[in-house]
Amino acid sequence: MSSITPPLARRLGGLQSSAIRDLLKVAARDDVVSLAGGLPDEQLMPRDRIAQAAESALADRARLQYTESAGWGPLREVLAARETVRLGRPVPLEEVFVTHGSQQALSLLAEVLLDPGALVVVEDPAYVGALQVFRAAGSRIVTVPLDAEGMRVDTLADLLGRGERPALVHTVSNFHNPRGVTMSPGRRRELAELAERYGFWVIEDDPYGELWFDNPSPEPVAAYSSHVIRLSSASKTLAPTLRVGWMTAPDAVCRGVELLKQGADLCGSALTQQIAAELLADAEWLEAHVREVRRVYGARARVLVDELRMRFGDRLVSTDAAGGMFVWVDFTDGTDTVDLLPRAVDLGVAYVPGEAFAVSGAHRNSMRLCFTTSEAATLREAVARLARAIGE
Amino acid sequence: MSSITPPLARRLGGLQSSAIRDLLKVAARDDVVSLAGGLPDEQLMPRDRIAQAAESALADRARLQYTESAGWGPLREVLAARETVRLGRPVPLEEVFVTHGSQQALSLLAEVLLDPGALVVVEDPAYVGALQVFRAAGSRIVTVPLDAEGMRVDTLADLLGRGERPALVHTVSNFHNPRGVTMSPGRRRELAELAERYGFWVIEDDPYGELWFDNPSPEPVAAYSSHVIRLSSASKTLAPTLRVGWMTAPDAVCRGVELLKQGADLCGSALTQQIAAELLADAEWLEAHVREVRRVYGARARVLVDELRMRFGDRLVSTDAAGGMFVWVDFTDGTDTVDLLPRAVDLGVAYVPGEAFAVSGAHRNSMRLCFTTSEAATLREAVARLARAIGE
């Protein structure tokens, strides 16, 4: 077996199995309330609609076959119509590409757009799925911090001013994972302007944009420039099992991704793509369904944030319950979330320490909490346990 | 858009959209009988069983979620049991990995096992999906020809004797695509011995092994050595829409592929993997289903081969109707299959010229014919048109 070692060791370098996955194993104990997960609530997924759509998809034997690498035509048509509304400009079919979840879009885009050693800018704390892809691509990674208005675009402008020339800037523009914040409209415009001036690509990774609680998400960064590639997904609004993500990008980028997709896995599933197409095309039903998901997640998020603020007061700063799936907490009292974790799990609550998302900053006083799969009473109990673990 | 050009051009190099796909566009005309395709017959796919299995899978909401990167546990258990029988040794769960079709296994294995510039041996004519992956990986590709007993393992031994040291040897061991032939048991043993002696990996790519018409396929190459990674798929026996392929490989290889799969697309679909698990676990039903596919394909293949031999006599040599999906024809009379194609399409028949599968040899006097989706009368008509195109 020794002949596997050299390429594996070199190629994978420091790439490690996600720390989050290891944590989830610990937190799977029945007596632990886990806020460490990152899954949407399967109780809210439209199981019956998916089952009906599966049945009607299979009425046509063509849905049993291979499909086009770019995605099944009718799904791309639905997506093009939706993106046309979202971006406020006509989005032709050639600019929509269906991927196996948006993680596949990230992975194929890294191959298409990045030479080894290319400079990639990511937010810190970072979405680890993106970080993993850029590290595996051999990119040089530079970070820009986030604040309550999302990416610090002024810091990016400073980097550019000092002569750094990124090939790519990655942002989770809405309800950031893990940082919870949303990029303000002003910064979106500035980021798009920088992309045009300096000729880099922006990947706007947007799986959570529809999960707003009070106010709709701002216009996408992609509405401001054709240098922005927008990714989204059916995983958070419909169901991860469909493995349907999509990309809106210039034709040339889509064709590059198409060539690589043929080598990567030929094509997606015509069955799950047809299920997604049917559900996304039923606008009235979809609006009601997503409204219900927003209502339930919104209520849970408010309980969590209120409870954290009530219990801890000014010992922590929490993001607002504005949307998405995560709350980010910065402790102001020096609490070290890595050191705390074993004691927290002993007392029956799990979270992800900020360090798991760190690129340059350490985030030792921060944690990510996921509110999607817990009822209000459970969330209150989780915060009570957290308070006991820290020692009120 | 100019910033996309340099990495794309460099990375994709000579990589072109599959010639087969372009041909299929031409051959899609209603008045053309296309033997150029490479699809299994959707009329033979177990649509009703798939629909039932989808319904019962969705009874459990857990099937709506993300699943493990290595594949959904119960599917891996079914596959491990099947591979245990096929390989004649206990195959533990850790040595079975589910991929998004076996194309994804090829692609991830290339990343795990190959450094850029590594030597890869492929068969000539080659499975173009594998060739595309190895070219994209920047491999140095050397070919070994095929004859009626499959890969010329003696030629490989000569290469090794001259000091060539491949990292990987790729073979389609049963009913080769496009070459139709099956590797003999003696050569399987020799190939496995060479792999152990020289420390290279063999990828035994076996999507067609169950589609034998008269005699079961020989023991897999993987039965002879742990240096052999075996790939198979549900696409040819159940349905491509499931996007279920699998790999049997040493634990260390599976763990390397697992890390890359997380970055590539996180995981497969728990829904389609559960459908595959249910159908593959129902041994009695599966045996009857596959027997029927064999019967229909076998009858079609025999018609095609008989008709070719009757019409053309010693002007061509055709593979036997032994299994799989393809017949390979070598013209002995100098017919140039690239020059012939436009006239053949004009006269209403399409095929894939051998050149589309060429690596070092040109195969200008050869063609691949797919018999899976045409009834007997249509196949007879196709050969009649081919004879007219050539000019009897």
Side-chain angles (χ1 to χ4, degrees):
Chain A
M1 302 308 95
S2 63
S3 51
I4 189 194
T5 315
L8 238 194
R10 249 195 310 286
R11 197 65 61 85
L12 300 180
L15 200 69
Q16 286 168 20
S17 178
S18 162
I20 298 171
R21 284 172 191 261
D22 296 341
L23 269 165
L24 283 172
K25 286 176 196 156
V26 178
R29 268 171 35 200
D30 274 353
D31 58 332
V32 176
V33 175
S34 178
L35 307 183
L39 302 180
D41 188 347
E42 60 207 39
Q43 298 304 323
L44 296 172
M45 295 176 198
R47 192 244 319 252
D48 296 343
R49 277 302 302 255
I50 289 173
Q52 281 166 26
E55 194 182 340
S56 84
L58 291 169
D60 182 355
R61 283 185 175 271
R63 296 291 79 70
L64 298 166
Q65 275 293 11
Y66 295 95
T67 186
E68 297 118 276
S69 299
W72 192 56
L75 174 57
R76 290 170 69 210
E77 280 168 28
V78 175
L79 294 172
R82 287 168 54 88
E83 292 294 300
T84 292
V85 173
R86 193 87 183 87
L87 298 182
R89 62 171 178 83
V91 174
L93 218 53
E94 298 71 39
E95 299 185 9
V96 175
F97 193 98
V98 181
T99 52
H100 186 83
S102 51
Q103 184 70 27
Q104 185 178 47
L106 281 175
S107 154
L108 298 178
L109 283 169
E111 277 194 77
V112 169
L113 301 175
L114 300 175
D115 280 320
L119 177 63
V120 171
V121 173
V122 301
E123 295 161 322
D124 188 14
Y127 167 55
V128 290
L131 202 57
Q132 191 173 15
V133 163
F134 299 135
R135 282 181 174 158
S139 307
R140 183 164 72 88
I141 293 170
V142 168
T143 64
V144 167
L146 294 146
D147 64 17
E149 286 185 62
M151 178 190 279
R152 287 279 304 270
V153 177
D154 58 331
T155 307
L156 174 64
D158 288 347
L159 282 172
L160 294 160
R162 289 204 305 275
E164 290 280 26
R165 289 295 173 266
L168 188 64
V169 174
H170 178 266
T171 179
V172 180
S173 52
N174 294 311
F175 315 117
H176 190 275
N177 174 11
R179 188 60 180 77
V181 293
T182 291
M183 197 189 300
S184 66
R187 290 200 187 162
R188 288 173 192 237
R189 186 185 306 272
E190 287 163 27
L191 176 58
E193 283 169 6
L194 291 174
E196 303 225 329
R197 185 173 340 144
Y198 291 95
F200 58 80
W201 291 100
V202 174
I203 295 184
E204 180 181 25
D205 201 347
D206 185 21
Y208 310 110
E210 296 199 52
L211 300 180
W212 49 266
F213 301 151
D214 297 309
N215 301 302
S217 305
E219 272 198 298
V221 186
Y224 297 99
S225 166
S226 62
H227 279 252
V228 183
I229 297 165
R230 199 173 105 82
L231 310 186
S232 195
S233 166
S235 294
K236 309 306 189 285
T237 50
L238 297 177
T241 203
L242 301 176
R243 308 309 297 124
V244 168
W246 56 88
M247 169 173 94
T248 310
D251 188 27
V253 174
C254 288
R255 299 293 72 74
V257 169
E258 186 170 25
L259 283 179
L260 289 173
K261 169 97 178 161
Q262 289 174 14
D265 63 11
L266 290 179
C267 64
S269 164
L271 171 58
T272 68
Q273 292 190 10
Q274 163 61 17
I275 295 171
E278 184 176 325
L279 271 56
L280 292 173
D282 187 346
E284 197 176 333
W285 169 83
L286 184 66
E287 172 56 28
H289 164 70
V290 175
R291 194 185 309 128
E292 174 65 6
V293 177
R294 282 179 199 136
R295 188 188 66 75
V296 174
Y297 283 1
R300 290 175 182 170
R302 276 176 216 111
V303 166
L304 177 60
V305 169
D306 289 351
E307 201 72 11
L308 285 166
R309 288 174 179 167
M310 195 195 69
R311 284 261 180 194
F312 290 92
D314 60 5
R315 293 174 62 191
L316 61 73
V317 176
S318 156
T319 49
D320 293 326
M325 294 173 40
F326 304 105
V327 162
W328 178 264
V329 170
D330 292 310
F331 284 90
T332 54
D333 63 356
T335 296
D336 184 312
T337 58
V338 174
D339 291 349
L340 179 67
L341 187 59
R343 182 168 157 78
V345 171
D346 270 356
L347 291 173
V349 61
Y351 57 84
V352 185
E355 191 181 56
F357 313 100
V359 191
S360 23
H363 304 299
R364 293 283 293 215
N365 304 125
S366 307
M367 59 174 61
R368 186 191 80 174
L369 302 172
C370 177
F371 50 75
T372 53
T373 53
S374 304
E375 306 277 354
T378 309
L379 290 164
R380 285 194 195 97
E381 176 60 24
V383 177
R385 291 177 185 182
L386 194 60
R388 275 200 292 282
I390 294 180
E392 286 169 297
Chain B
M1 300 312 95
S2 64
S3 50
I4 189 191
T5 315
L8 238 195
R10 249 195 310 286
R11 199 66 62 84
L12 300 180
L15 198 70
Q16 286 167 20
S17 181
S18 161
I20 298 173
R21 283 173 191 259
D22 296 341
L23 270 164
L24 283 172
K25 286 177 196 157
V26 178
R29 266 171 37 201
D30 273 353
D31 59 331
V32 176
V33 175
S34 178
L35 307 184
L39 302 181
D41 188 348
E42 62 208 37
Q43 298 303 323
L44 296 173
M45 296 176 198
R47 192 243 319 249
D48 296 343
R49 276 301 304 253
I50 289 173
Q52 281 165 27
E55 195 183 339
S56 84
L58 290 169
D60 181 355
R61 284 185 176 270
R63 298 289 80 72
L64 297 166
Q65 275 293 11
Y66 295 95
T67 186
E68 296 118 276
S69 298
W72 191 56
L75 174 57
R76 291 170 68 210
E77 280 168 28
V78 175
L79 295 171
R82 287 169 55 88
E83 292 294 300
T84 292
V85 173
R86 194 89 184 83
L87 298 183
R89 63 170 177 84
V91 174
L93 217 55
E94 298 71 37
E95 298 185 7
V96 175
F97 193 97
V98 181
T99 52
H100 186 83
S102 51
Q103 185 69 28
Q104 184 177 48
L106 280 174
S107 154
L108 297 178
L109 282 169
E111 277 193 78
V112 170
L113 300 175
L114 300 176
D115 280 321
L119 177 61
V120 172
V121 173
V122 301
E123 294 161 323
D124 188 14
Y127 168 55
V128 290
L131 202 56
Q132 192 173 15
V133 164
F134 299 136
R135 282 180 173 157
S139 306
R140 182 163 75 87
I141 293 170
V142 169
T143 65
V144 167
L146 294 146
D147 66 16
E149 285 185 62
M151 178 191 279
R152 287 280 303 271
V153 178
D154 58 330
T155 308
L156 175 63
D158 288 348
L159 283 171
L160 293 161
R162 289 203 304 275
E164 290 280 25
R165 290 293 173 267
L168 187 65
V169 175
H170 178 264
T171 179
V172 180
S173 53
N174 294 311
F175 316 118
H176 191 275
N177 174 11
R179 188 60 182 74
V181 293
T182 291
M183 197 189 297
S184 66
R187 291 200 186 162
R188 288 172 192 236
R189 187 185 306 272
E190 288 162 27
L191 176 58
E193 283 168 5
L194 291 174
E196 302 225 329
R197 186 173 339 144
Y198 291 95
F200 58 80
W201 290 99
V202 174
I203 294 183
E204 180 180 26
D205 201 348
D206 185 21
Y208 310 112
E210 297 198 52
L211 300 179
W212 49 267
F213 302 151
D214 296 309
N215 301 302
S217 305
E219 272 198 298
V221 186
Y224 298 98
S225 167
S226 61
H227 279 250
V228 183
I229 296 166
R230 200 173 105 82
L231 310 186
S232 194
S233 166
S235 295
K236 308 307 190 283
T237 50
L238 298 176
T241 202
L242 302 177
R243 308 311 296 121
V244 168
W246 57 89
M247 169 173 94
T248 310
D251 187 28
V253 174
C254 288
R255 299 293 72 75
V257 168
E258 185 171 25
L259 283 178
L260 290 172
K261 169 96 177 162
Q262 289 173 14
D265 64 10
L266 290 181
C267 64
S269 165
L271 171 59
T272 68
Q273 292 191 10
Q274 163 60 17
I275 295 171
E278 183 174 327
L279 271 57
L280 292 173
D282 187 347
E284 196 176 335
W285 169 83
L286 183 68
E287 172 56 28
H289 164 70
V290 175
R291 194 186 309 128
E292 175 64 8
V293 176
R294 284 179 197 137
R295 188 189 65 76
V296 174
Y297 284 2
R300 290 174 183 170
R302 276 176 216 109
V303 165
L304 176 60
V305 169
D306 289 352
E307 202 72 12
L308 284 165
R309 288 174 178 167
M310 194 196 70
R311 284 261 180 196
F312 290 94
D314 60 6
R315 294 174 62 192
L316 61 74
V317 175
S318 156
T319 48
D320 293 326
M325 295 175 38
F326 305 105
V327 162
W328 179 264
V329 169
D330 292 310
F331 284 89
T332 55
D333 64 356
T335 296
D336 183 311
T337 58
V338 174
D339 292 349
L340 179 69
L341 188 60
R343 182 168 157 76
V345 172
D346 270 356
L347 291 173
V349 62
Y351 56 83
V352 185
E355 192 181 54
F357 312 99
V359 191
S360 23
H363 304 299
R364 292 285 291 218
N365 304 125
S366 307
M367 61 174 61
R368 187 192 79 174
L369 302 172
C370 177
F371 49 76
T372 52
T373 53
S374 304
E375 306 276 353
T378 309
L379 290 164
R380 286 194 194 96
E381 176 61 23
V383 176
R385 291 177 184 181
L386 194 60
R388 276 201 292 282
I390 295 179
E392 286 168 297

